Every structure is written in structure tokens, then in C-alpha cells.
């Protein structure tokens, strides 16, 4: 059985504190928690892991982002 091990090398205490602060900020901004809390989408594990069910507010936000993207870079969008 394989196991993945992560490590970090930080030379100064200030670097460690900055790294730990970034980790806490990442936890606070986790889309897997924010989306359901804001009513943007839900995830039903029985339907499939990672499968997003968009709620009306989430669909509206997604549409705004897609429209901006299309105007900015042009081209057609694909969803896979």
C-alpha cells in the first residue's frame, strides 16, 4: 500500500507563522464549505462524489462568470 507524505522546510519562525496563516485562510475559503453555506450548490455523495447540484443562486453566479469569461477571452465554452 502506498502512502503520500508531505513535508515543508522553513528556515525562520516567521516563515512558519506565515505558512500556518495561509493554511488557516485556505480552510476559511474552502469552496466545499462556502458553496453549500451560501446556498449556491449542494453535493450528494450518493449521486456521485464531487457531483455538483447547482441551486438557483449558484446557477446565476456561474452564468455571470461564464458570460464575463466569454466576453474577455472570446470563443465558446465547453463543460466536461
Amino acid at each position: 500500500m502506498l502512502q503520500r507524505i508531505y513535508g515543508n522546510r522553513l528556515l525562520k519562525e516567521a516563515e512558519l507563522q506565515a505558512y500556518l496563516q495561509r493554511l488557516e485562510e485556505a480552510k476559511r475559503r474552502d469552496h466545499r464549505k462556502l458553496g453549500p453555506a451560501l446556498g449556491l450548490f449542494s453535493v450528494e455523495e450518493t449521486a456521485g462524489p464531487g457531483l455538483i447540484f447547482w441551486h438557483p443562486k449558484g446557477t446565476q453566479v456561474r452564468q455571470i462568470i461564464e458570460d464575463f469569461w466569454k466576453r474577455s477571452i472570446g470563443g465558446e465554452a465547453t463543460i466536461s
Side-chain angles (χ1 to χ4, degrees):
M1 177 178 196
L2 297 176
Q3 184 173 356
R4 185 171 293 176
I5 300 173
Y6 293 97
N8 288 308
R9 179 176 176 255
L10 304 168
L11 298 177
K12 298 180 181 174
E13 181 68 25
E15 291 177 343
L16 173 62
Q17 294 306 320
Y19 173 73
L20 293 175
Q21 188 175 10
R22 285 193 309 269
L23 285 179
E24 286 300 316
E25 184 68 19
K27 285 181 187 177
R28 221 174 45 78
R29 296 180 179 212
D30 188 0
H31 69 278
R32 295 169 293 186
K33 292 182 182 177
L34 280 177
L38 295 172
L40 301 177
F41 61 81
S42 60
V43 179
E44 296 293 330
E45 293 299 325
T46 56
L51 182 61
I52 299 293
F53 291 96
W54 292 99
H55 298 181
K57 285 194 317 187
T59 302
Q60 186 176 11
V61 170
R62 179 180 170 158
Q63 189 64 50
I64 290 169
I65 293 170
E66 287 178 357
D67 291 344
F68 172 77
W69 192 3
K70 289 174 192 174
R71 285 192 310 273
S72 297
I73 64 171
E76 297 179 17
T78 58
I79 298 174
S80 59

